[in-house]
Amino acid sequence: MCSIIGYSGNEIAAPIIVKGLKRMEYRGYDSVGVATESDNAIELKKGIGKVSEVNSKVELDKLPGKIGIGHTRWATHGKVTDLNAHPHPSNSGKIAIVHNGIIENFEELKKQLEEEGYNFKSETDSEIIANLLQKNYEDTKNVKETIMKTVSVIKGHYAFVAMFENGQIAAARFHEPLIVGVGQENIFLSSDVLGFIEYTDNAIYI
Ligand code: GLU
């Protein structure tokens, strides 16, 4: 198990995400990371260890911007390394994702993407989601269509949240938990209501 969280609202995202990840620590993990969007650029920090340890080393909660995603990883594909920690950026750096679960056909998809010139920096199955989204977004220029095209080819079980450089955030789930929290002026996506419990009790189970 691991935890994913996404936030879009009128407050600085990173401290809210770090707090949410801490509340979900009971789910177990080996590494942690956060990415945020600000001024049409994505910034990302991650590393091995507990949320508080990694935060005091790299200041996850100081990332700028009001939109962000966060993750605590329980490694299934690839060693426990800083590079394998989530979020994972796409090759262009214009999209970043956090993923919970397993993509069973990632080797086949990775090979296809490599043939098209994409390269992979981590050993994870998850990184293919970032590059598939990039490919489909470049084709469609539409976030919803991009997500639909992507989930039509990946096999396995997953919940993922994707953040686009233009500040859009989108998510999908299949056999892994993902809950939408609807606040007054903010939206959360989270593996557990604990990720947003102090901000809203208006939860939608997808
Ligand atoms: N399969 C992914 C990985 O190994 C995600 C694992 C998880 O759910 O934390 O990075």
Side-chain angles (χ1 to χ4, degrees):
M1 265 207 309
C2 77
S3 302
I4 61 175
I5 186 161
Y7 173 87
S8 177
N10 62 356
E11 291 182 54
I12 298 295
I16 294 173
I17 290 170
V18 169
K19 216 169 4 166
L21 290 173
K22 277 191 186 150
R23 283 190 189 277
M24 295 191 282
E25 282 190 303
Y26 78 92
R27 292 168 59 84
Y29 65 100
D30 51 57
S31 48
V32 54
V34 176
T36 59
E37 182 277 336
S38 166
D39 293 332
N40 290 318
I42 290 175
E43 268 189 68
L44 187 156
K45 291 181 177 180
K46 56 191 186 176
I48 303 171
K50 292 281 155 207
V51 179
S52 52
E53 287 163 12
V54 177
N55 193 37
S56 48
K57 232 190 288 172
V58 301
E59 299 190 316
L60 301 166
D61 62 355
K62 296 287 191 304
L63 284 164
K66 297 179 176 175
I67 295 163
I69 55 178
H71 188 266
T72 49
R73 176 178 189 233
W74 187 311
T76 64
H77 291 66
K79 293 181 278 299
V80 177
T81 62
D82 291 343
L83 208 58
N84 285 340
H86 301 216
H88 290 288
S90 71
N91 275 187
S92 65
K94 294 183 178 183
I95 299 172
I97 63 101
V98 286
H99 162 233
N100 170 210
I102 289 172
I103 306 301
E104 283 161 9
N105 59 340
F106 85 99
E107 275 168 338
E108 175 195 327
L109 294 169
K110 189 170 176 175
K111 202 161 154 252
Q112 285 167 14
L113 286 165
E114 280 172 339
E115 279 164 12
E116 293 179 39
Y118 286 86
N119 55 69
F120 289 82
K121 295 171 186 72
S122 79
E123 302 160 330
T124 66
D125 51 338
S126 311
E127 195 180 358
I128 65 115
I129 300 175
N131 284 328
L132 260 181
L133 288 171
Q134 179 183 321
K135 175 180 151 68
N136 292 332
Y137 190 66
E138 283 169 2
D139 287 351
T140 65
K141 306 274 182 263
N142 176 294
V143 169
K144 190 173 175 189
E145 275 181 51
T146 297
I147 298 287
M148 297 312 282
K149 271 187 111 165
T150 303
V151 299
S152 72
V153 297
I154 57 178
K155 296 198 178 100
H157 52 99
Y158 52 81
F160 68 83
V161 186
M163 185 174 64
F164 292 72
E165 189 190 48
N166 62 9
Q168 280 180 283
I169 198 162
R173 74 171 278 261
F174 186 68
H175 291 314
E176 292 287 352
L178 189 66
I179 302 160
V180 183
V182 185
Q184 292 288 359
E185 302 194 52
N186 42 33
I187 291 272
F188 295 81
L189 295 150
S190 180
S191 305
D192 188 309
V193 290
L194 288 175
F196 52 77
I197 196 78
E198 73 185 79
Y199 296 91
T200 179
D201 57 5
N202 187 2
I204 301 168
Y205 289 78
I206 306 173

